[in-house]
Amino acid sequence: MWFTGLSGSGKTTICRNVRETLLKRHVQVELLDGDAVRQHLTKDLGFSRQDRLSNIERVAFVADLLSKHGVITLASFITPYRELQEYARRHITSFREVYVQCPLKKCIERDVKGLYKKALNGEIQRFTGISDPYEPPLNPDLILRTDRESIAESAHKVVRYLEIHDFIPKG
């Protein structure tokens, strides 16, 4: 399950909630979070278009490896360009795209990490949604509207999707 959306849209929070639910059901699950991956696996990369592609290439490799071994993988990455979204789709077995849709204004209001404030002040260059584009996916498998639904409701939709499509047993 590849979660894409703006910073602050709720991707990682939803993934954590889904992960907790699946662990309680004894389902093999792994969370690949953009921040954690950038601190370890891709710490040598910046935020240029090419570096973003390299980041997604590495994560897609790991996600595909996990998927091939029966692990439900929750990948939480902004994935701002459609070419990156399509790369992940082409290279991950059983890829499913979840668009965590939230208006930019709401993400700015949340700004948990203070990144939007820095980007708006010019302290961060090439920040998605401010000085760099975000291209919403064209045909996501699931859309979560985090400005209209709670984290629990969004997480429930993901778990229900996994059940309906036989990725996990019905709970």
Side-chain angles (χ1 to χ4, degrees):
M1 301 294 287
W2 192 277
F3 292 73
T4 177
L6 291 168
S7 179
S9 62
K11 298 179 300 298
T12 299
T13 305
I14 293 165
C15 285
R16 286 182 181 137
N17 191 299
V18 171
R19 182 177 181 271
E20 183 179 311
T21 299
L22 297 183
L23 286 172
K24 286 178 184 174
R25 294 186 187 188
H26 307 287
V27 172
Q28 287 189 319
V29 60
E30 188 61 54
L31 169 59
L32 299 175
D33 172 58
D35 290 341
V37 166
R38 283 219 176 245
Q39 290 175 6
H40 302 284
L41 182 65
T42 63
K43 64 183 171 186
D44 60 315
L45 300 175
F47 291 90
S48 70
R49 195 171 189 97
Q50 183 56 49
D51 282 352
R52 288 176 191 253
L53 175 59
S54 295
N55 183 53
I56 297 306
E57 286 174 347
R58 292 179 195 180
V59 172
F61 174 80
V62 173
D64 186 53
L65 192 61
L66 289 167
S67 178
K68 285 178 179 176
H69 287 89
V71 177
I72 299 293
T73 306
L74 308 172
S76 174
F77 293 85
I78 294 171
T79 327
Y81 314 126
R82 287 195 185 110
E83 75 178 286
L84 301 179
Q85 298 159 14
E86 289 306 313
Y87 181 91
R89 182 178 296 281
R90 286 190 315 271
H91 290 87
I92 300 173
T93 304
S94 301
F95 178 89
R96 296 298 185 273
E97 186 172 48
V98 180
Y99 177 27
V100 183
Q101 186 178 12
C102 187
L104 177 61
K105 181 179 178 183
K106 185 71 170 175
C107 292
I108 291 171
E109 286 174 14
R110 292 176 181 167
D111 202 11
V112 180
K113 302 173 192 171
L115 299 175
Y116 282 106
K117 183 178 179 182
K118 289 180 180 179
L120 289 166
N121 289 335
E123 297 171 45
I124 300 176
Q125 300 302 310
R126 299 188 60 95
F127 190 79
T128 304
I130 302 299
S131 53
D132 207 47
Y134 177 78
E135 301 169 353
L138 295 175
N139 295 302
D141 298 287
L142 184 61
I143 298 174
L144 306 176
R145 295 293 311 263
T146 59
D147 61 325
R148 298 181 184 171
E149 56 198 40
S150 70
I151 294 300
E153 289 168 325
S154 292
H156 177 75
K157 283 183 175 181
V158 174
V159 172
R160 189 72 188 116
Y161 180 93
L162 291 167
E163 291 172 341
I164 289 169
H165 293 88
D166 296 322
F167 287 103
I168 62 170
K170 291 177 176 48

